[in-house]
Amino acid sequence: MMQPSDNFMAEQLLLVCASVKEMPLETNRIIKFAKDSLLQNAPDELVWRDASGLSRYNMFTPNSMAFALTKMYETMDTTTLFDIFPTGGKTGTIRKWYGGTYPYVHAKTGTMSNNHCLSGYVKTNSGKVLIFSFMNNHYVGSSSPYKREMQRTLEWIRDNL
């Protein structure tokens, strides 16, 4: 579902989650359950309508994305976690960006017209794993200048923290 991104599959998996919880197969019911239990301490209000990453109806702040990524980092081993996400310079939507002598970015993009987001994990040269979330929106033209700046920022973090 994450590599390549499959929004239809994401929607179906959300309904499978409802089934596992013995709930009606209704997107809004399982989303409410997740918001009230798994994400109850999210720092900002989560406007969540469906499982599609291509919906303008879903609105999460970068702070809330970092909160969800932290929960994942705390509950999964890093090998499995990092394998789920596209890897900079290697796989998925970031295979042409964030490359280096070793993989240092494991992140998911979200792109719609005039919006480009990147959220995930960056491994520093000192061995730290840091969580980040960029949200670039309402720009006119190509996303490339924003991607270049995010790459420059992540390289600096990799090399200096």
Side-chain angles (χ1 to χ4, degrees):
M1 177 177 71
M2 298 276 280
Q3 298 183 60
S5 184
D6 189 331
N7 295 304
F8 176 74
M9 183 63 70
E11 192 72 25
Q12 298 310 304
L13 286 174
L14 196 59
L15 295 175
V16 169
C17 291
S19 177
V20 168
K21 288 294 185 183
E22 299 180 356
M23 299 173 69
L25 301 182
E26 298 173 12
T27 302
N28 62 333
R29 299 274 291 273
I30 191 62
I31 287 173
K32 181 176 180 348
F33 169 81
K35 286 170 63 175
D36 292 346
S37 59
L38 303 171
L39 301 169
Q40 68 181 352
N41 295 320
D44 302 307
E45 180 182 356
L46 305 175
V47 177
W48 186 5
R49 302 288 186 255
D50 58 41
S52 171
L54 294 176
S55 172
R56 292 192 186 274
Y57 298 113
N58 296 321
M59 294 184 283
F60 286 40
T61 65
N63 201 24
S64 292
M65 293 300 295
F67 173 82
L69 290 165
T70 299
K71 293 278 237 181
M72 293 172 69
Y73 186 77
E74 291 171 348
T75 59
M76 298 176 72
D77 70 272
T78 55
T79 300
T80 302
L81 181 60
F82 294 163
D83 283 346
I84 291 170
F85 283 83
T87 299
K90 303 259 184 218
T91 62
T93 54
I94 61 172
R95 70 185 171 283
K96 295 180 181 175
W97 295 91
Y98 319 107
T101 55
Y102 68 90
Y104 72 99
V105 173
H106 303 277
K108 184 76 175 102
T109 60
T111 305
M112 297 188 310
S113 58
N114 312 103
N115 295 274
H116 179 76
C117 303
L118 181 70
S119 298
Y121 307 91
V122 59
K123 291 194 275 187
T124 69
N125 289 339
S126 67
K128 296 176 188 170
V129 174
L130 303 174
I131 294 168
F132 69 91
S133 184
F134 290 107
M135 190 173 287
N136 302 286
N137 55 42
H138 304 297
Y139 58 82
V140 177
S142 170
S143 62
S144 291
Y146 302 93
K147 291 176 184 176
R148 278 192 294 276
E149 188 61 25
M150 289 187 300
Q151 181 165 312
R152 190 181 72 75
T153 300
L154 290 169
E155 286 173 350
W156 186 92
I157 290 168
R158 176 197 63 198
D159 296 341
N160 293 286
L161 297 180

